[in-house]
Amino acid sequence: GYPLGNVGALAGSNAIAIDRSGGAWIANGSGNTVTVIYGPGSAVGYAPAGLNEPQGIAVDSSGHVWVTAGNSITELSSFGLEISPAGGYADGALYGSDAIAIDGHGDVWTTNTLDSTVSKLGFGSPFTNASLNQPDGIAIDGSSNVWIADVGNLGRIEVTELSNSGTAISPAAGYTYAGGGLFGAEGIAIDGSGNI
């Protein structure tokens, strides 16, 4: 790994996102900070006001960095300057926000692990579905459909798919895989062919 000094030091790193310049943005849950690394000796740390135990992080097409922390989402510029109000955006639909993803329209989605919902920031969410149980990982496919991995559904793999408007596409019980090998799904990603 990269040896980091006090500035930009990692502390309880929870998530990572890569910007267009190859910078690695890291949410530091224990340090209440965000670190960006552009290579050896080039780590910088940011401590936005009110950022408390950040969990998820994503970079949008404009290079803005979005970070989940508790019941809010903080937006930073590509230079680490806070764009959101102090304490982040909090629209009442966020509760234990965890993973975060940005769709092709620039809309920000997050899982709310504590109340088993998914939020689309500023769009009348949260969205609920019978298959959601402590949703953790989130990813957006090429059609801007939302895919969620549920950590709470132990003993079976359950993945929920929502349309961009929050309507369930997957069956009522989600997509399941009981064939073994996976347990307590936390993260999710989509490849260039649309495979989950």
Side-chain angles (χ1 to χ4, degrees):
Y2 292 113
L4 305 177
N6 290 333
V7 177
L10 303 177
S13 304
N14 285 324
I16 189 168
I18 309 299
D19 66 23
R20 288 183 175 183
S21 301
W25 291 82
I26 302 153
N28 297 306
S30 299
N32 299 329
T33 61
V34 172
T35 300
V36 62
I37 301 172
Y38 284 105
S42 65
V44 178
Y46 301 103
L51 190 66
N52 186 24
E53 297 182 8
Q55 296 296 313
I57 194 165
V59 180
D60 68 19
S61 60
S62 299
H64 291 186
V65 180
W66 297 79
V67 187
T68 60
N71 302 334
S72 67
I73 296 175
T74 296
E75 180 185 7
L76 304 175
S77 74
S78 58
F79 300 103
L81 301 175
E82 188 168 5
I83 296 171
S84 55
Y89 301 115
D91 66 2
L94 305 173
Y95 188 57
S97 300
D98 199 339
I100 189 168
I102 301 167
D103 66 25
H105 309 290
D107 297 324
V108 178
W109 292 80
T110 183
T111 56
N112 299 305
T113 303
L114 295 181
D115 69 355
S116 296
T117 63
V118 175
S119 290
K120 182 179 181 181
L121 189 62
F123 283 88
S125 49
F127 303 110
T128 61
N129 186 278
S131 64
L132 294 174
N133 186 357
Q134 296 179 358
D136 198 344
I138 191 168
I140 313 290
D141 67 18
S143 299
S144 287
N145 291 335
V146 183
W147 293 80
I148 305 113
D150 290 294
V151 70
N153 291 309
L154 300 177
R156 64 179 181 169
I157 295 309
E158 191 166 284
V159 173
T160 301
E161 180 186 10
L162 304 177
S163 72
N164 194 258
S165 63
T167 303
I169 296 173
S170 53
Y175 299 119
T176 61
Y177 176 69
L182 299 174
F183 187 80
E186 294 186 7
I188 191 166
I190 302 170
D191 68 18
S193 298
N195 298 312
I196 308 302

